[in-house]
Amino acid sequence: MTKLSVNINKIATLRNSRGGNNPDLVKMALDAENFGTDGITVHPRPDERHIRYQDVYDLKPVLTTELNIEGNSREQKFVDLVLDIKPHQVTLVPDATGQLTSDHGWNTIQHKDYLKDIIRVFKTAGIRVSIFVDPDTRMVEGAAAVETDRIELYTEAYARNFTANREAAIAPYVKAAEKARELGLGLNAGHDLDLNNLNYFSQQIPWLDEVSIGHALICDALYLGFENTIQLYKRQLIMRSGL
Ligand SMILES: CC(=O)[C@@H](O)[C@H](O)COP(=O)(O)O
Ligand SMILES: NCC(=O)COP(=O)(O)O
């Protein structure tokens, strides 16, 4: 069954906005685990706008589900953190420092040599590696060539186009997902997935291993409650496997 990893970046955004420890990030991560999430995702950016490097050290010893650390492996501080923490999974995202959010996947052809080397470093440390890619079969083929364990499909375009034409929105993702399966790659997905578009995505790609969801889920929790929201998101995925 597809696993849900709750990205807690935006809880850290709220906490940082007043300089104290409210909301308590570690408590909310543990609550998310108790409410049914299969994992926790954090994305420590160089400017520590939300997740701080110290947060990752605070979370690691107390989490009981999977920890997924996302970030730009071209930042040595990020590489050092991941090798020190040794999470279940690291997701490599080619973000520039000043980006508002993640907005593109790796060019796995252009960066073949770099990715192959850095992936080997993390795999040698016993860490599962996922790399963030656009829904492009050439990039998926390139991902297999650099020997990543998984890819994470960048789903912003799917979310943006879903309402207007869900069949057209999902089409490149199904092709990319089929190519990943053909090449023996594990399959994750994330970015702008929400209660409206998640079930269709999981129904069309039933071999999806994991979705990581943060922004929309935390926003929904403001209205629907954190526990209820996590269970609503899980139900989108469970509905698919129950078909
Ligand atoms: C890689 C990706 O799409 C997201 O996981 C990213 O972590 C979002 O980052 P922000 O929460 O800083 O927008
Ligand atoms: N990898 C995607 C993620 O962790 C969360 O993305 P979003 O749901 O905050 O857009």
Side-chain angles (χ1 to χ4, degrees), residues 53-223:
Y53 286 82
Q54 184 56 48
D55 289 326
V56 189
Y57 285 97
D58 294 342
L59 286 163
K60 168 67 175 170
V62 297
L63 294 181
T64 56
T65 61
E66 283 212 350
L67 175 59
N68 173 38
I69 305 178
E70 298 188 333
N72 184 343
S73 52
R74 290 174 295 204
E75 299 282 344
Q76 188 58 44
K77 192 175 177 183
F78 176 80
V79 174
D80 295 343
L81 172 76
V82 173
L83 292 176
D84 199 14
I85 292 287
K86 291 188 176 51
H88 299 85
Q89 176 174 267
V90 61
T91 300
L92 310 187
V93 186
D95 285 345
T97 303
Q99 280 179 215
L100 175 65
T101 186
S102 305
D103 62 15
H104 64 281
W106 286 97
N107 183 324
T108 57
I109 297 166
Q110 181 181 341
H111 296 113
K112 178 178 180 181
D113 294 340
Y114 165 75
L115 284 170
K116 196 160 188 175
D117 290 345
I118 193 65
I119 288 168
R120 185 180 301 116
V121 168
F122 290 126
K123 288 175 75 169
T124 301
I127 303 164
R128 184 174 72 224
V129 179
S130 179
I131 64 173
F132 202 55
V133 298
D134 297 318
D136 179 330
T137 54
R138 296 166 304 166
M139 294 303 119
V140 177
E141 289 167 343
V146 299
E147 299 175 0
T148 187
D149 296 303
R150 294 191 184 178
I151 60 169
E152 175 173 340
L153 291 177
Y154 170 44
T155 50
E156 188 274 336
Y158 165 73
R160 187 175 70 246
N161 298 317
F162 174 78
T163 302
N165 185 336
R166 65 177 62 188
E167 293 79 10
I170 197 73
Y173 291 86
V174 171
K175 283 182 182 165
E178 287 172 341
K179 177 60 71 175
R181 181 171 57 176
E182 174 195 319
L183 295 171
L185 293 173
L187 184 63
N188 296 347
H191 204 96
D192 285 342
L193 293 174
D194 64 24
L195 276 179
N196 183 43
N197 63 38
L198 178 58
N199 182 253
Y200 183 71
F201 193 94
S202 66
Q203 282 184 341
Q204 299 305 310
I205 307 176
W207 60 97
L208 184 61
D209 290 302
E210 176 183 289
V211 290
S212 44
I213 305 176
H215 192 91
L217 189 150
I218 301 302
C219 291
D220 289 336
L222 296 175
Y223 286 101

